[in-house]
Amino acid sequence: MAIQGAVSQRINMLRFLMIFGVVVVHTPPYAPYGAVPNEWFPLLVAFFQNGFFRATVPVLTLISGYCLFKSGLDTNFRKLIAKKARTLLLPFLIFNLGMLLIDVLADRFFGASIVYDRAAMQDARAWLTSMFGIFGYPINLPLYFLRDLMVLILLTPLFGWVLRRTPFVGLAAVAVFFLSDLDGLLILRGDMPVMFYAGGIIALHQSNLRAIDRYAYPAFAAFVALCMYAVWFGDGSILVLRLVAPFLIWPISAVLVETSFGQWAVKQSRYSFFIFISHAPLLFGLWKLNKLAGAPVPVPVFTVVMPFVVVAILIALYKMAMRVMPGPFSLAIGGRSKTTVRVERRVAPALPGMWPVAMERRMAPR
């Protein structure tokens, strides 16, 4: 089933902005909850790293669940697996095993690996985890998201069956099972199955995605307040933030997509997946080089500037790779450079915070 044009634009915009947020969250140094100095700059950094951009994974997971169930792929498991093997598994293997290989070689020949820890890699369990995320986080740390998403893909037929019969009973069951960690090491982030399943409810039960647009500003204000609360009071409130953030952020996207900045972010969406799977080696490598060089870039400057630098470098690398080796590069990133998202040809009604749309196709990464 096609996704309406205005909704598609909002999804594409949020993908890019949330991926940028992922880069911000992973930019060192990181101050854990409860250990943030009571000074304006550390608190400001913590607001974005421990609060505002902690919405990234829930928003991206909800979008993933919505798009998958909206497409109806859950009813064709063979096609689903074939597609996700290309778009998720292959990029995971290339960018995780690639980082591991480079890091091991850098450690052996230069003694300067990025995150590889020779002392910790003493048994098969550690290697399987670093390589494939079997028992924990892979060496390319952010790719745990793809790892968990692939597990959810395997559960999709079961989710789809429940979604079409008792959706809200299923939601309660998914929340209790995964948030209580009854699955063990099956899923690393317990909130991801809840968001993925919630995206399925929205997709399959004719939800009006514009229904809460009128509450854009109050919802966003509530989100900011919840972020401040999470930063100030610590871990106990982060789960609540993760579970409600997508529903507080979605309405403001209707306002933001109308702006020139929003339209610029829509156009950058094609780079989102590549930025996500490749930012960690570059970001952590630059951090280590800065430390080895005696910190010529002061830590506060690094924290603020480096997310923008990393994203700009990766966009430039994407463009260069698409010119020099479009076929292999497209394959490595899951074929996303050649995909389109079909949208309905219609004119959306003029609602507050919306704009008329009339188009048949728009380039966007899946």
Side-chain angles (χ1 to χ4, degrees):
M1 185 180 296
I3 298 175
Q4 294 177 4
V7 171
S8 176
Q9 286 220 338
R10 290 165 70 174
I11 287 174
N12 289 334
M13 178 188 69
L14 285 175
R15 275 179 175 150
F16 178 74
L17 296 180
M18 292 299 105
I19 295 300
F20 175 78
V22 169
V23 179
V24 171
V25 168
H26 294 152
T27 301
Y30 173 73
Y33 293 97
V36 181
N38 191 20
E39 301 172 6
W40 76 267
F41 183 75
L43 286 172
L44 181 64
V45 171
F47 171 79
F48 288 103
Q49 288 191 331
N50 295 352
F52 196 91
F53 285 124
R54 288 292 164 175
T56 55
V57 169
V59 170
L60 293 170
T61 308
L62 187 77
I63 289 173
S64 297
Y66 172 80
C67 291
L68 189 152
F69 287 103
K70 191 72 172 177
S71 71
L73 271 177
D74 64 296
T75 60
N76 189 337
F77 190 63
R78 180 177 298 181
K79 183 178 179 181
L80 173 65
I81 293 300
K83 178 179 179 180
K84 297 306 176 181
R86 183 182 75 252
T87 61
L88 294 181
L89 179 59
L90 184 60
F92 175 89
L93 294 176
I94 290 173
F95 283 85
N96 194 65
L97 296 180
M99 179 176 175
L100 178 61
L101 177 62
I102 292 171
D103 225 18
V104 169
L105 292 176
D107 176 74
R108 174 162 297 186
F109 293 106
F110 304 104
S113 63
I114 300 174
V115 295
Y116 174 72
D117 184 354
R118 189 184 309 177
M121 303 293 285
Q122 298 299 318
D123 55 33
R125 182 186 178 97
W127 279 101
L128 287 172
T129 298
S130 291
M131 294 169 68
F132 307 113
I134 301 296
F135 303 106
Y137 293 89
I139 191 168
N140 191 339
L141 182 67
L143 298 195
Y144 82 85
F145 177 78
L146 298 188
R147 181 258 191 215
D148 278 4
L149 198 56
M150 286 186 285
V151 175
L152 291 173
I153 296 301
L154 297 177
L155 296 175
T156 293
L158 174 61
F159 282 6
W161 187 87
V162 177
L163 277 165
R164 290 175 173 85
R165 288 161 177 82
T166 56
F168 293 102
V169 172
L171 178 63
V174 167
V176 170
F177 185 77
F178 288 100
L179 294 180
S180 299
D181 201 25
L182 297 177
D183 61 300
L185 293 175
L186 183 64
I187 293 287
L188 300 177
R189 277 280 299 263
D191 58 304
M192 280 186 61
V194 180
M195 291 294 100
F196 187 81
Y197 187 94
I201 292 179
I202 296 170
L204 294 179
H205 292 278
Q206 304 301 318
S207 302
N208 181 2
L209 295 181
R210 302 182 181 91
I212 57 175
D213 286 354
R214 69 187 69 181
Y215 306 111
Y217 294 110
F220 189 69
F223 171 66
V224 171
L226 190 55
C227 291
M228 296 172 65
Y229 184 89
V231 170
W232 191 258
F233 290 99
D235 285 335
S237 56
I238 190 64
L239 179 59
V240 175
L241 175 63
R242 287 171 173 169
L243 293 177
V244 304
F247 307 102
L248 299 179
I249 289 176
W250 177 253
I252 201 67
S253 70
V255 177
L256 190 58
V257 80
E258 290 183 333
T259 66
S260 57
F261 172 76
Q263 286 299 296
W264 173 83
V266 171
K267 295 176 183 177
Q268 309 312 305
S269 181
R270 72 185 68 179
Y271 310 118
S272 298
F273 188 75
F274 177 64
I275 293 170
F276 175 74
I277 59 180
S278 60
H279 76 275
L282 178 60
L283 183 60
F284 298 156
L286 290 172
W287 170 251
K288 192 152 192 174
L289 284 174
N290 192 53
K291 289 179 65 178
L292 291 174
V297 179
V299 171
V301 176
F302 187 98
T303 302
V304 173
V305 173
M306 205 50 61
F308 298 94
V309 172
V310 166
V311 168
I313 291 173
L314 292 176
I315 289 177
L317 287 175
Y318 179 104
K319 293 178 178 179
M320 181 176 67
M322 286 304 299
R323 285 196 300 268
V324 175
M325 48 179 185
F329 181 69
S330 177
L331 180 67
I333 61 173
R336 284 168 173 78
S337 62
K338 298 179 180 179
T339 60
T340 59
V341 172
R342 295 186 61 185
V343 298
E344 292 181 2
R345 186 177 183 180
R346 66 189 297 268
V347 176
L351 298 176
M354 298 298 296
W355 58 288
V357 176
M359 57 184 174
E360 294 185 24
R361 289 182 178 267
R362 186 170 192 88
M363 291 300 296
R366 291 188 188 274

